[in-house]
Structures are given as structure tokens and as C-alpha cells.
Amino acid sequence: MIDVDRLTFDYPATRALRDVSLHLPPGSITALVGPNGAGKTTLLRCLAALEEPIEGRIRVGGVDALADPRACHRQVGYLSDFFGLYDDLTVEQCLRHAAAIRGVPSGREREVTLRAAARLGIADRLGSRAGELSRGLRQRLAIAQAILHEPRVLLLDEPASGLDPEARHQLATLFLQLRDEGMTLLVSSHILAELDTYSTDMLVMREGRIVSHEPVASAGSRGPAQRISLALARPFDGLAEALAAIEGVTEVRIEAAGATFAAPAGAEAQHAILAALVARGVPVCAFAPERRSMQDAYLASVAGDRERVAR
Amino acid sequence: MSLNPELRRNLWLELTPTRLVVMPAVLFGVFVLTAVADGRQLGTASAATALTLFVGLTWVWGAHLAAESVLSELRGRTWDWQRMSGIGPWPLAWGKLAGSTAYPWYGAVLCLAVFAAADHREVAQPGRIAALLVLGGLLSQVVALLAAVQAATRDRTFTRAQSTAWLVLAAFVISPLITAGFAVSRVDWYGTRFDSLAFALPSMAVFLAFAAIGLWVQLRRELKVRTLPIAWPAFSLFLMAWSAGFIVGERSTAPGYPLLAALLVAVTLTWATAFGERKDPVALRRLVRALREERWRRAAEEAPSWLLTLPLVLAPAGLLVALPALLGEPDLWSVRWTLVAGLGFLGRDLALLLYLNLGARPRRADLFAAVLLLVGYVLVPLVFAALEWKAAMALLLPVPEHAPIAAASGLAQLAVLGFLLARRWRGRERAVEDSLPGADQG
């Protein structure tokens, strides 16, 4: 859905993006993470065709964003970190205006407005002025404005900042719903625990470069293999041999009270492995897919990049 | 057919029921007072007050609101919504213009109605004056909006006070035309004598058309629609030809003087745009890259306005250097050297502006350049004049009496600044290549 090739972006005194290339598949939710100043916002603004890079190519939904930025704008919904609202308009007026400037026919304006308001849980605030809303409600209104024209790609810069836990949960549910409807999302945030709940991929940026881009382990549904963590009730000498003998088990790492290994993803395959271990007399007391949090994955990526740069 | 969304948004804000009642109520109060002064009728005082209020409402308040319609979006961080919207540049332009100024126009129409009903015998050509004021109101608003969009492109952060600056600019642009319309009874243009109001009206209409086209072009750029820069050179050529028309005829004896007037207009436009536009190193980098890769269309799209106006300076200057006799002056070489000196000083000014803007802290570069040029063009020459060092003045000004010295000085300064500029540019390019991100962006 999004293809970026060798993107370089300059600010007057600094190079913000260097040779950035990436591919985001349709229907993915990619967490864009990295320290402040890594180039996340710049990348999002380039993808939204609001900024023009000095070099490189961007395709969003098959549209060349540099050759035809206006066509790209139609494909994309974008919520900036420091967004603004028309404070003197009511919520309904804000949404109707957003619908109109996005080309929604006037006959469908009300229907689209009500749908967006209901999705974001602000249907009971249609008569309130945007300037009178709390930070959380403003955030919801802004997201409603960004998705109102049903874009194929949604780019969000710190969408959950200022939201209470319940609103964050609702937001995560909404993102998954939008993903299920076929939307591709790229979400920049510093709150990794929250990203962990809905992201399928993680894109780590540092100093204007992409450090890593990989599926999120906890997303579960993506990738052919998964790491399994095995705990033993008591020491067992033949554990390594037992694991090596089971079909599909690879990358075995023996630990003090058990082992970790890679195995095919899927419940049936993992059930077969567990049954084989029990049949070989291995005293299994716990057997579960290893859960590496996004925080762990992020820190590992950044540490790896630091080492690479130091070398 | 649906209403222009930008117009509708502005109307939601501007034409509330309360405001619709307040405006006629206030105006009614004012005109009751003037009618009392006129002896319980709408007399000459009422007519004059109606015109004054019309000017205040449309030229001043309307222009302020037009500029604010963009600047408030920058302050409120809603401009990106507009830029990503599906609305086209022209609907956005007229939606903003008509919507943001709807309320002042509402009052202005009431004032015009009072003017029509009042005794306006003391006003010569009342119809033309009213038309001139309406056109003036529109022109001031379009220019204010255009200047605000131009400023938005230059700098994305604005305080409320800055919109007043665009208002002043709009007034500055319009006032000569209006003053000419009222103060002079006849205008000589290309050897023909016109009634001043009859001349001012079509002139203002053409200026209004160019301003509207300029606004449309500027909004196209903001909305990321690629645009070939045709409008600015076309306006520059028009202004050169329009200005030269005042020289042709009885006031001028030599055929070169209209050309000289056109040249001075082109120089002024080059200078004004060089100061007014953003000297964006990234855009310059794109321009240099496009030129190196011989992508001429792209280079034209990236070219700053001052660069586009430069050929319009060089063409008449070159013609006058080649044919100095056109100016009818006896000393042909003095004319030539003076023109060369002028070009040298202009080149130096542009190089200085770019040099300062490519520095480490370009925020006040334009102001610093203006101070340096003020010192160079005014202060030091005044000191030299006081000391009666006439030849020394030629080091800083294109003085015809010492034209060779002036030409040598102008070209030497251009060479030095050009060298410094090239060195700074190369250093900057290397610094950007080696820079770590994070200084400018989030």
C-alpha cells in the first residue's frame, strides 16, 4: 500500500531522512517508533504529500505522491501531532466542513458526519463548540475528521497523547476495526505498550534512517514461525535431543529451567510439538509462545543499531 | 449545486443572527446623527460619511479579515487540513475572500445605499467614484490575502499583529491609484490624455485581475499543484509597460526614457521579491539540482520570483547599454557605465541577501541586509556628500558623473560577494550531508 524508495529529505540546515526505503502491506498497522528527532514526523508528512523530499520516490495506494500530491491527498488521512480545530464551529459543523472539503457529496454529508461521530464516540457532542471540548474529545474529533472520507491509508502522529485509558482502549479498538475494513495505518507514538495492543509491524527510526522493520511478535497472526518458551517441572537431561528430534523445531536454546525454540505458527502445530515432548517423557510444566514486548524489540533494535554504528 | 465549503464555513462564523442585527443598528445610529447634522435629511454630510464608512469597512477591516483568514489557520494549526483537502485552489481563494469579508461587505452595501439615497451633488462623477471604491475594496482584500498566503509560504508562524502588516501592504499598493483617481483630473498615458477616474477604473480592474491570478497561483503552490511561473513575469511585464506609459509623450524627449522607466520598475520588483520571498536553501538546492540535470520545467517551477524578474531587468538594460543614444545623452560611455554600475550593485544586493540567508542564523538575515544596504546606499554616501568627496560616492552608488568608478566598484563588490556566496553554499551543502537530524524537525 505504501512504497518508499531511497527517500532523502533536507531541512535548511540538516538532513532529516537519509535513503529511507520501506514497504507497508495493505491492511497492516505499523508502529512508527524512535527517539525524538529521529525523523518520524518528517516521514509522515512526506507520506501525506505535505512535504517534498529532495530525492526518492513515494507511492501511496499506487499513486506517485511526488508527481501527483493531490491524488495522494485523496488516498490519505493524516492527523498531525499538533493538530488544530476550528474552535468556533460546533462538532457537527467541523465534521460537515471536513466532509465537504474532502469531496463528500452534500446529500451524504449528514450521514457521513453521523457515522464518523458515532465511530469516535462523540455523537452526543455534535452541538458543542470544538473549542469547548476536553483534550481527549478534541483528539477524537480530529481523528473523526481524518477518517471521514474513508481514506485507504491513515497516518497518525501521536494519536493517543492526552487520552485517558478508556479512550485509548477505544482508539485501539477503532484502529483494529479500520484495519479489518481494509485500511492501512501508520501510527507514530512513544507509548509502546499501547502500540503493542494493535500493531502488526514495527518500524524503528533513528537519526533519519530505518533501523528495523519487522512484524510484531505479539500480533500472532503474521509470519510462518514463532518462538516458544518451554519450562520444566524438574531438570531433564535429554531435553536438547528430544527437541531436536521433533519435526519443525529449530533454533533451540537450552536454559536453566527449560528452553526456547522456534516452531511453526498455529495452534495445531504447537499442540503436536507439546504432545511429542510429553510422549518423550519431558516434564513440561509450561509451554507458551514467547512474548517479546514491543518495548523489548524496540530497545534491542536501537541497541543493535548503536553497536553497528560504533563498529 | 452545493455551496463552496470554505465560503460556507466562513459564513457560519461571520453571519450570525446577532451580527446581522448589530451592523444595521449601528449604521442606523450613525446616519441618524449625520441626518440631524444635514437638517433632518440625508444630505452631503451623510453622503461623505457613507463613503468614509465604506472605505473603512472594505479597505481596512475587510483587508484585515482577508489576511486573517489564512493567518488564523496557521496560528490555529488548521492549514494542513486545508492543504490536504480536495478543495481546489480557486474555490479556496474565492471562498476565503468572499466568506471572510462577507460581514464588512454587508455593512458596506448599506453604506452605498445611503450614499445613493443621500444628496451627493458635491461629489463629481458619483457613479465612477462608487465603482472605484468597490474595486479598491476588492483589490485591497485580494492583495492582503495574497500577501498573507505569500507570508505563510515564507514563515509558518504568525502573530495576530502581523496581519496588520499585510493590511498596510495592501493599502500601500492601492493608495497611489486611488490618490491619482481623486487628486489629478487628467492623466497622460502613452501620449493620450485620459480623465483620471476613467483611467483609474480599468487600471484598477487589471491590477485586481492580476492580484486574483497571483492569489490563485500562490494557493496552487500551497496545495502542492505544480505550476509554471507565468503569472509573475506577465504581471512584471504589464507593470513595466503600464509605468512606461506615463513617460511616453510630452514629458519625455528621448525614446529611451520609457525603457529606462520599465527598467527601474523591473529593478524594483526584483529587489522587492528578493526581500519578500523566502530564501529557502532547500528550494535553491532543488533548483540547482534541476538545472544540473537539465530539467528545465522543474527548474522554472522552483525558481524564485526575483530570478524570474532578472531577465526583465537585463533585457532593457542590455538594450540601453547597446544603444545608449536612445536616452539622448551626449556622453554615451557615461550612460553605459552607469547602467553597468546599476546592474553590478543590484547583483551585489542579491548576493548579499542570499549570503546572509544561507548563514547559520538566517532568521533576521533580511533585516540585517536591509540595514547594511541602508548604510551603503544612504548613510555613507550622505557622509561623503557632506565631506564633498564626490568620487568616493561612486564607490557605493551608480553616480553618472563618476560612472567608470561606480561600475568598477559595483562589479568588484559583486565578484567578492559572489565568491563568498559560492563558498558558503558549498560549505553548507557539506554540512547538511554530514548533519545529524533532530535540529529542525520532530
Side-chain angles (χ1 to χ4, degrees):
Chain A
M1 180 55 67
I2 296 179
D3 286 291
V4 175
D5 186 32
R6 300 181 66 84
L7 193 70
T8 298
F9 185 93
D10 285 355
Y11 283 105
T14 47
R15 179 148 291 175
L17 299 175
R18 293 166 187 272
D19 263 353
V20 169
S21 297
L22 60 94
H23 166 76
L24 302 187
S28 58
I29 305 181
T30 304
L32 179 59
V33 293
N36 289 333
K40 303 186 297 292
T41 297
T42 306
L43 177 61
L44 287 174
R45 291 183 67 81
C46 285
L47 295 179
L50 284 170
E51 305 288 353
E52 193 178 344
I54 194 108
E55 215 170 84
R57 289 153 66 108
I58 302 171
R59 291 189 80 81
V60 178
V63 171
D64 186 333
L66 302 181
D68 193 357
R70 298 291 283 164
C72 179
H73 292 161
R74 286 193 284 275
Q75 308 265 354
V76 173
Y78 170 62
L79 178 68
S80 119
D81 188 1
F82 299 104
F83 64 88
L85 297 169
Y86 295 115
D87 287 341
D88 293 326
L89 297 184
T90 64
V91 169
E92 183 176 359
Q93 284 173 329
C94 283
L95 290 173
R96 283 181 62 191
H97 177 66
I101 61 171
R102 286 300 199 159
V104 173
S106 55
R108 286 194 60 226
E109 243 180 51
R110 178 134 182 96
E111 169 206 334
V112 168
T113 295
L114 293 179
R115 178 174 147 80
R119 263 180 163 179
L120 271 297
I122 50 174
D124 57 339
R125 306 280 181 155
L126 287 174
S128 306
R129 292 208 182 281
E132 295 163 357
L133 299 178
S134 66
R135 163 90 182 149
L137 286 171
R138 286 173 67 80
Q139 194 88 359
R140 287 198 229 175
L141 173 56
I143 294 171
Q145 286 185 184
I147 64 169
L148 188 132
H149 63 297
E150 306 285 344
R152 295 173 72 190
V153 171
L154 185 57
L155 308 169
L156 301 130
D157 201 352
E158 298 287 349
S161 64
L163 296 188
D164 58 43
E166 190 187 344
R168 282 185 188 177
H169 173 71
Q170 286 173 349
L171 199 62
T173 309
L174 173 74
F175 290 167
L176 289 169
Q177 185 191 333
L178 293 174
R179 197 264 318 252
D180 292 343
E181 290 171 11
M183 212 178 273
T184 305
L185 290 88
L186 181 58
V187 187
S188 163
S189 177
H190 286 300
I191 311 165
L192 298 184
E194 169 220 321
L195 289 169
D196 219 354
T197 59
Y198 53 75
S199 300
T200 58
D201 300 82
M202 181 175 68
L203 188 66
V204 182
M205 288 192 75
R206 188 166 171 264
E207 294 179 353
R209 291 175 294 106
I210 292 192
V211 171
S212 74
H213 184 191
E214 56 190 30
V216 174
S218 56
S221 59
R222 291 169 57 84
Q226 195 167 28
R227 280 204 79 77
I228 304 289
S229 174
L230 173 74
L232 299 179
R234 58 183 176 279
F236 183 75
D237 286 341
L239 180 59
E241 292 77 17
L243 282 167
I246 300 171
E247 193 183 343
V249 172
T250 55
E251 298 172 36
V252 175
R253 200 157 56 219
I254 302 298
E255 293 169 355
T260 64
F261 55 88
E268 282 301 326
Q270 287 169 16
H271 167 70
I273 292 167
L274 177 59
L277 284 168
V278 173
R280 282 172 170 79
V282 179
V284 179
C285 73
F287 180 99
E290 190 179 48
R291 186 177 171 85
R292 190 171 73 143
S293 72
M294 189 173 273
Q295 175 90 6
D296 298 334
Y298 168 67
L299 292 176
S301 292
V302 172
D305 185 59
R306 280 209 186 96
E307 277 175 28
R308 191 181 56 76
V309 171
R311 277 201 301 273
Chain B
M1 203 175 117
S2 55
L3 191 63
N4 177 319
E6 186 56 21
L7 174 65
R8 184 181 66 176
R9 182 181 73 81
N10 279 290
L11 294 184
W12 278 336
L13 295 170
E14 294 296 321
L15 299 186
T16 60
T18 313
R19 302 184 92 206
L20 286 174
V21 172
V22 166
M23 176 67 82
V26 170
L27 290 178
F28 178 76
V30 170
F31 289 118
V32 165
L33 289 175
T34 58
V36 169
D38 278 331
R40 294 179 181 266
Q41 60 169 347
L42 289 175
T44 51
S46 300
T49 306
L51 287 187
T52 308
L53 284 174
F54 181 92
V55 169
L57 284 168
T58 57
W59 292 24
V60 182
W61 196 21
H64 168 72
L65 291 177
E68 266 296 303
S69 68
V70 166
L71 300 180
S72 64
E73 296 231 42
L74 287 173
R75 282 197 302 273
R77 297 177 183 275
T78 51
W79 191 230
D80 278 347
W81 293 117
Q82 297 278 20
R83 292 176 69 211
M84 284 194 71
S85 74
I87 195 167
W90 181 239
L92 183 61
W94 81 259
K96 278 204 170 297
L97 199 64
S100 64
T101 61
Y103 194 56
W105 277 112
Y106 170 55
V109 168
L110 297 176
C111 290
L112 269 191
V114 171
F115 174 71
D119 178 2
H120 46 251
R121 273 174 300 180
E122 288 182 7
V123 181
Q125 306 184 59
R128 277 184 175 168
I129 293 242
L132 196 68
L133 293 184
V134 170
L135 276 177
L138 284 171
L139 184 57
S140 66
Q141 290 163 12
V142 175
V143 170
L145 182 54
L146 170 61
V149 179
Q150 173 76 24
T153 312
R154 185 188 153 102
D155 186 353
R156 295 268 177 214
T157 51
F158 285 96
T159 62
R160 185 171 284 272
Q162 281 168 305
S163 63
T164 310
W166 311 129
L167 178 65
V168 171
L169 177 71
F172 176 76
V173 167
I174 293 148
S175 56
L177 275 174
I178 299 295
T179 315
F182 282 113
V184 190
S185 58
R186 300 280 169 199
V187 173
D188 291 322
W189 197 66
Y190 281 104
T192 308
R193 181 155 287 195
F194 292 93
D195 173 86
S196 61
L197 276 176
F199 180 80
L201 271 174
S203 290
M204 200 174 266
V206 177
F207 276 102
L208 177 60
F210 270 115
I213 291 168
L215 174 62
W216 174 68
V217 168
Q218 203 58 39
L219 282 172
R220 277 173 70 89
R221 289 198 179 129
E222 275 294 296
L223 298 182
K224 296 280 173 198
V225 185
R226 292 209 185 285
T227 308
L228 269 179
I230 295 167
W232 176 251
F235 172 69
S236 302
L237 275 173
F238 162 75
L239 195 62
M240 289 163 73
W242 185 80
S243 307
F246 295 104
I247 306 295
V248 175
E250 58 186 313
R251 290 186 194 177
S252 141
T253 49
Y257 276 95
L259 206 56
L260 190 62
L263 170 62
L264 289 176
V265 169
V267 168
T268 308
L269 289 175
T270 308
W271 232 64
T273 46
F275 268 97
E277 277 190 337
R278 186 180 179 194
K279 273 68 67 184
D280 181 4
V282 180
L284 287 176
R285 207 170 294 150
R286 281 202 203 98
L287 171 65
V288 170
R289 190 170 286 210
L291 288 172
R292 275 190 194 140
E293 294 168 3
E294 298 181 1
R295 290 181 292 137
W296 307 119
R297 187 188 168 96
R298 188 83 178 93
E301 287 168 359
E302 293 291 348
S305 297
W306 59 263
L307 195 58
L308 297 170
T309 325
L310 215 47
L312 302 180
V313 172
L314 295 175
L319 196 62
L320 288 173
V321 167
L323 303 167
L326 287 174
L327 287 170
E329 299 291 330
D331 187 350
L332 299 185
W333 278 105
S334 170
V335 170
R336 284 193 173 114
W337 286 125
T338 307
L339 287 165
V340 170
L343 291 177
F345 283 119
L346 175 67
R348 178 210 60 181
D349 298 348
L350 295 174
L352 176 70
L353 259 177
L354 288 174
Y355 178 78
L356 293 176
N357 272 278
L358 292 176
R361 288 178 185 165
R363 188 160 272 277
R364 291 180 183 168
D366 287 351
L367 186 64
F368 186 44
V371 170
L372 285 180
L373 294 179
L374 197 70
V375 169
Y377 279 129
V378 180
L379 195 61
V380 178
L382 277 176
V383 171
F384 287 161
L387 296 171
E388 296 189 353
W389 295 354
K390 295 275 170 63
M393 284 174 70
L395 294 172
L396 297 165
L397 290 174
V399 183
E401 292 81 19
H402 302 282
I405 298 174
S409 172
L411 292 175
Q413 290 180 53
L414 171 61
V416 170
L417 258 301
F419 170 75
L420 291 174
L421 174 63
R423 202 173 65 165
R424 179 164 275 186
W425 174 261
R426 282 195 297 272
R428 192 186 176 92
E429 290 298 281
R430 274 197 301 275
V432 169
E433 295 273 345
D434 300 339
S435 67
L436 285 177
D440 285 339
Q441 87 286 8

mmCIF file of all heavy atoms in Angstrom, chain A residues 26 41 50 66 103 222 253 267 275 277 296:
data_model
loop_
_atom_site.group_PDB
_atom_site.id
_atom_site.type_symbol
_atom_site.label_atom_id
_atom_site.label_comp_id
_atom_site.label_asym_id
_atom_site.label_seq_id
_atom_site.Cartn_x
_atom_site.Cartn_y
_atom_site.Cartn_z
ATOM 1 N N PRO A 26 -0.907 -3.774 2.483
ATOM 2 C CA PRO A 26 -2.267 -3.325 2.780
ATOM 3 C C PRO A 26 -2.803 -4.043 4.017
ATOM 4 O O PRO A 26 -2.459 -5.191 4.278
ATOM 5 C CB PRO A 26 -3.069 -3.734 1.543
ATOM 6 C CG PRO A 26 -2.110 -4.270 0.558
ATOM 7 C CD PRO A 26 -0.802 -4.474 1.206
ATOM 8 N N THR A 41 8.062 12.342 12.237
ATOM 9 C CA THR A 41 7.073 13.320 11.767
ATOM 10 C C THR A 41 7.363 13.723 10.325
ATOM 11 O O THR A 41 6.446 13.853 9.502
ATOM 12 C CB THR A 41 7.074 14.547 12.693
ATOM 13 O OG1 THR A 41 6.674 14.117 13.995
ATOM 14 C CG2 THR A 41 6.120 15.621 12.209
ATOM 15 N N LEU A 50 2.618 16.370 2.145
ATOM 16 C CA LEU A 50 2.619 17.755 2.629
ATOM 17 C C LEU A 50 4.011 18.362 2.514
ATOM 18 O O LEU A 50 4.167 19.574 2.496
ATOM 19 C CB LEU A 50 2.176 17.799 4.097
ATOM 20 C CG LEU A 50 0.680 17.629 4.346
ATOM 21 C CD1 LEU A 50 0.398 17.455 5.822
ATOM 22 C CD2 LEU A 50 -0.106 18.807 3.800
ATOM 23 N N LEU A 66 4.786 12.214 -5.292
ATOM 24 C CA LEU A 66 5.569 13.400 -5.670
ATOM 25 C C LEU A 66 5.087 13.967 -6.997
ATOM 26 O O LEU A 66 5.046 15.189 -7.174
ATOM 27 C CB LEU A 66 7.055 13.056 -5.755
ATOM 28 C CG LEU A 66 7.641 12.488 -4.466
ATOM 29 C CD1 LEU A 66 9.116 12.194 -4.618
ATOM 30 C CD2 LEU A 66 7.411 13.456 -3.325
ATOM 31 N N GLY A 103 -14.711 16.370 -0.469
ATOM 32 C CA GLY A 103 -15.437 15.996 -1.670
ATOM 33 C C GLY A 103 -16.624 15.085 -1.446
ATOM 34 O O GLY A 103 -17.152 14.505 -2.396
ATOM 35 N N ARG A 222 0.816 -13.070 12.077
ATOM 36 C CA ARG A 222 1.684 -12.854 10.920
ATOM 37 C C ARG A 222 2.969 -13.651 11.058
ATOM 38 O O ARG A 222 3.442 -13.918 12.140
ATOM 39 C CB ARG A 222 1.995 -11.363 10.780
ATOM 40 C CG ARG A 222 0.788 -10.551 10.381
ATOM 41 C CD ARG A 222 1.075 -9.092 10.521
ATOM 42 N NE ARG A 222 2.246 -8.718 9.721
ATOM 43 C CZ ARG A 222 2.205 -8.428 8.422
ATOM 44 N NH1 ARG A 222 1.073 -8.457 7.792
ATOM 45 N NH2 ARG A 222 3.294 -8.113 7.765
ATOM 46 N N ARG A 253 17.386 -23.193 22.137
ATOM 47 C CA ARG A 253 18.288 -22.572 23.123
ATOM 48 C C ARG A 253 17.922 -23.151 24.499
ATOM 49 O O ARG A 253 16.823 -22.902 25.007
ATOM 50 C CB ARG A 253 18.098 -21.061 23.102
ATOM 51 C CG ARG A 253 19.281 -20.326 23.692
ATOM 52 C CD ARG A 253 19.389 -18.908 23.202
ATOM 53 N NE ARG A 253 18.198 -18.126 23.425
ATOM 54 C CZ ARG A 253 17.704 -17.232 22.572
ATOM 55 N NH1 ARG A 253 18.309 -17.021 21.426
ATOM 56 N NH2 ARG A 253 16.628 -16.559 22.851
ATOM 57 N N ALA A 267 -1.954 -23.129 16.195
ATOM 58 C CA ALA A 267 -2.278 -23.910 17.392
ATOM 59 C C ALA A 267 -2.052 -25.409 17.179
ATOM 60 O O ALA A 267 -1.509 -26.093 18.054
ATOM 61 C CB ALA A 267 -3.722 -23.637 17.783
ATOM 62 N N ALA A 275 2.621 -32.471 22.421
ATOM 63 C CA ALA A 275 2.291 -33.898 22.579
ATOM 64 C C ALA A 275 3.541 -34.756 22.419
ATOM 65 O O ALA A 275 3.759 -35.720 23.171
ATOM 66 C CB ALA A 275 1.229 -34.279 21.549
ATOM 67 N N LEU A 277 6.651 -33.877 22.985
ATOM 68 C CA LEU A 277 7.523 -33.696 24.161
ATOM 69 C C LEU A 277 7.031 -34.552 25.335
ATOM 70 O O LEU A 277 7.815 -35.246 26.001
ATOM 71 C CB LEU A 277 7.549 -32.217 24.573
ATOM 72 C CG LEU A 277 8.391 -31.287 23.687
ATOM 73 C CD1 LEU A 277 8.097 -29.826 24.023
ATOM 74 C CD2 LEU A 277 9.876 -31.586 23.852
ATOM 75 N N ASP A 296 10.729 -4.360 24.345
ATOM 76 C CA ASP A 296 11.954 -5.175 24.254
ATOM 77 C C ASP A 296 12.500 -5.140 22.833
ATOM 78 O O ASP A 296 13.705 -4.970 22.613
ATOM 79 C CB ASP A 296 11.659 -6.631 24.640
ATOM 80 C CG ASP A 296 11.185 -6.742 26.078
ATOM 81 O OD1 ASP A 296 11.539 -5.850 26.883
ATOM 82 O OD2 ASP A 296 10.441 -7.702 26.381
#
